Amino acid sequence: MKYICLIICIVLLTISLIKDANLYKPTILMHGLWTVIVFLNILELFGLKKSNDVVYELVIIGQIAFYIGHTLGNEGHTFTIYFKEKKVYKEKEINYKMVYILGYITIILLLIDTIIAVRYLLNGASLVEIRSWLNQTYEEGTNPITARKSYFEQVFRVLVIEPFKVAIIPICASDMFTGNGNRKMFFITVIIVLLNVISTGGSRISILTLAISVIMAYLIIRRKGDNSNKKIRKKIRTLSLIGVIIVVFLTMKRSKTGVVEEGYYYFSLCLPLLSSWITDIINCTKTYGLLSFWGIVRIPFLVIEKLGFPIPNIYYTAQECVLNANKFRNVGERIANSFVTPYYYLYIDAGVAGIFIGMFIFGIICGKSFRKLMVYKSQENVIIHCLLMQAVLLTFIRWQFVSTGYFLSFIILKILLKDKEHSCNSEIMSIE
């Protein structure tokens, strides 16, 4: 089954490349990523466990569903609109004032977390121990970072700071190529990422999402023959070098194995980890969409629970499944958690049908975003597409909509972006 899965991923990737070779096209990213993941699992290096055939079947269903959804979302008749007279239209621009305010607040809160983490590291704690604190809920949190927070601060972090931390990365990346290249916002973003890395025990996700956003924004905005591309490429090379150095350093600190083995496990352990859960999720009570959209539906339930009203059992089932995903399981010569892929969440929701429907809808959303981008590469469209590409490229870890921070990042854009009116001269736009 693993070879069939690999062939299907390669075929879908090839078709996507033939139809449109833009590297920021969602299907190219999705099928390219999973071609690599399945191939690495076939190699079975460094004692990696074999994956269950059922898992490969789920991957096949998900990949096909995403491709079909993307195709439907991106389809349309191509025609051209001519603007022969000046027209006034609304476009979004970055609300720098609001970015600065939330940026400074975020830095202050992360600085508090970082000071606590550094103090414990200096007293002999490991990065792995600091990292494990993230898996505790606020209610059961006994670690010093969680224990010091008031309930109000925790709510503020969940509803405002976490979404801002997600949104600021693609906003900064797009500003590098489509906006003013604001240095203050760039440094605020870099500081937030670095503090987040330290305070979370060396988590590399924020570095990875920053790299994804910068590369995606550059690929979308670049113009052939533009001399400014040389300066931009130099910036990207510099940032990439710094990012690689940080990731290698964190990898060496958090793992006793070599960088190559750590990298191999990082991108391949998701399938054996999902295999270890397959019996559990098959027998789990279905949550009918509550788990897949946990990031947003948990908010009203938390309010209801705080007010003392009864909560349906399905809510607690979904909550338990979210927490279970953070439990460590054996994947070979090491243990791992969290990297359960979207198929864990979608299958618990509604079985095979849940995987097809979930990936199909996600494909439609990504296809429509790509279509909008082909019409007009506005800053707003670039930012939203970069956010969606984060979710695509992190499918080897989780279904991103389980994260409240990620879900609300699309909403917080409403205050981080503002309307900008200006005149538009004659131009030609091709609309898909």
Side-chain angles (χ1 to χ4, degrees):
M1 184 57 68
K2 58 187 176 183
Y3 294 106
I4 296 175
C5 184
L6 179 62
I7 291 171
I8 290 175
C9 288
I10 292 174
V11 169
L12 294 175
L13 173 61
T14 303
I15 295 172
S16 300
L17 286 167
I18 292 174
K19 293 181 70 174
D20 191 335
N22 286 310
L23 295 181
Y24 52 88
K25 184 179 179 181
T27 50
I28 292 177
L29 296 174
M30 175 68 81
H31 306 313
L33 171 69
W34 281 90
T35 296
V36 172
I37 291 171
V38 175
F39 176 72
L40 292 177
N41 273 269
I42 289 175
L43 296 178
E44 295 177 6
L45 301 176
F46 305 112
L48 184 73
K49 274 189 173 182
K50 291 184 179 181
S51 298
N52 194 302
D53 279 348
V54 175
V55 167
Y56 287 111
E57 292 172 4
L58 300 184
V59 173
I60 291 172
I61 294 168
Q63 293 295 294
I64 292 175
F66 183 85
Y67 181 83
I68 295 172
H70 182 278
T71 301
L72 293 177
N74 188 39
E75 72 175 4
H77 180 66
T78 301
F79 58 94
T80 303
I81 297 178
Y82 294 90
F83 294 95
K84 295 185 178 180
E85 298 179 358
K86 286 189 177 182
K87 293 185 178 180
V88 176
Y89 65 96
K90 286 188 176 181
E91 187 182 348
K92 298 289 185 179
E93 65 178 355
I94 297 172
N95 187 342
Y96 290 103
K97 183 178 180 180
M98 187 57 66
V99 169
Y100 296 156
I101 293 172
L102 289 179
Y104 294 141
I105 294 173
T106 302
I107 289 174
I108 291 171
L109 292 175
L110 285 177
L111 193 57
I112 296 172
D113 295 348
T114 300
I115 291 172
I116 295 173
V118 170
R119 188 171 72 241
Y120 273 76
L121 288 170
L122 293 176
N123 288 331
S126 66
L127 287 174
V128 175
E129 183 181 347
I130 304 295
R131 178 71 176 156
S132 67
W133 294 351
L134 293 177
N135 297 331
Q136 293 184 349
T137 63
Y138 176 72
E139 289 77 12
E140 67 179 9
T142 56
N143 66 76
I145 289 182
T146 304
R148 59 148 293 277
K149 298 175 187 174
S150 66
Y151 184 76
F152 172 78
E153 181 185 337
Q154 179 64 13
V155 171
F156 180 70
R157 283 180 180 247
V158 170
L159 298 183
V160 180
I161 299 302
E162 291 302 322
F164 176 76
K165 283 165 54 180
V166 175
I168 187 62
I169 290 178
I171 288 175
C172 178
S174 70
D175 187 63
M176 290 173 63
F177 310 121
T178 64
N180 302 318
N182 188 285
R183 289 187 178 183
K184 185 184 291 186
M185 185 172 68
F186 174 77
F187 285 117
I188 287 174
T189 305
V190 171
I191 291 170
I192 288 173
V193 169
L194 292 178
L195 290 177
N196 192 67
V197 169
I198 299 171
S199 63
T200 56
S203 173
R204 293 157 289 193
I205 293 298
S206 55
I207 296 176
L208 181 60
T209 53
L210 178 59
I212 292 169
S213 297
V214 170
I215 293 171
M216 290 295 104
Y218 169 68
L219 292 174
I220 294 167
I221 303 302
R222 65 176 177 171
R223 296 180 179 86
K224 294 181 179 179
D226 191 340
N227 292 329
S228 64
N229 282 342
K230 293 181 180 179
K231 294 181 179 180
I232 292 172
R233 284 196 293 269
K234 186 177 180 180
K235 289 181 180 179
I236 292 176
R237 284 195 295 268
T238 302
L239 287 172
S240 299
L241 179 60
I242 295 172
V244 169
I245 292 173
I246 294 174
V247 169
V248 170
F249 174 77
L250 292 173
T251 299
M252 294 173 66
K253 280 291 184 180
R254 286 180 54 186
S255 175
K256 296 179 181 180
T257 60
V259 175
V260 174
E261 182 177 340
E262 181 70 14
Y264 174 80
Y265 263 89
Y266 193 73
F267 288 102
S268 62
L269 63 81
C270 58
L271 292 186
L273 183 58
L274 180 60
S275 295
S276 73
W277 281 106
I278 198 67
T279 301
D280 298 80
I281 65 176
I282 286 176
N283 297 323
C284 184
T285 303
K286 296 295 179 283
T287 49
Y288 304 106
L290 190 63
L291 181 57
S292 295
F293 297 101
W294 178 258
I296 191 67
V297 298
R298 67 180 287 231
I299 296 175
F301 277 108
L302 287 174
V303 174
I304 294 171
E305 188 177 41
K306 197 68 178 177
L307 293 174
F309 292 105
I311 303 292
N313 289 333
I314 191 173
Y315 169 79
Y316 293 111
T317 300
Q319 183 182 56
E320 183 181 3
C321 292
V322 171
L323 296 175
N324 283 343
N326 292 320
K327 292 182 179 179
F328 284 90
R329 294 277 182 114
N330 184 277
V331 293
E333 294 184 354
R334 62 178 66 193
I335 57 175
N337 71 334
S338 300
F339 285 53
V340 291
T341 78
Y343 306 119
Y344 170 92
Y345 303 96
L346 296 172
Y347 192 94
I348 292 175
D349 263 337
V352 172
I355 290 177
F356 187 89
I357 294 171
M359 294 298 287
F360 176 77
I361 294 174
F362 186 38
I364 289 177
I365 293 171
C366 290
K368 287 186 176 296
S369 174
F370 182 71
R371 181 181 172 186
K372 282 185 177 181
L373 208 58
M374 294 298 97
V375 173
Y376 184 42
K377 296 176 180 179
S378 68
Q379 197 161 42
E380 182 183 20
N381 288 345
V382 173
I383 291 169
I384 291 175
H385 195 71
C386 285
L387 273 176
L388 288 172
M389 293 310 95
Q390 282 185 26
V392 170
L393 289 173
L394 293 180
T395 51
F396 74 100
I397 299 177
R398 67 176 70 88
W399 177 249
Q400 279 297 93
F401 298 99
V402 172
S403 165
T404 301
Y406 181 78
F407 215 119
L408 294 182
S409 67
F410 291 93
I411 298 176
I412 205 170
L413 287 179
K414 299 295 182 182
I415 63 174
L416 297 179
L417 301 177
K418 62 181 181 179
D419 289 334
K420 171 186 175 183
E421 286 195 358
H422 58 91
S423 60
C424 172
N425 291 317
S426 301
E427 60 176 297
I428 302 176
M429 295 196 301
S430 176
I431 297 184
E432 295 281 340

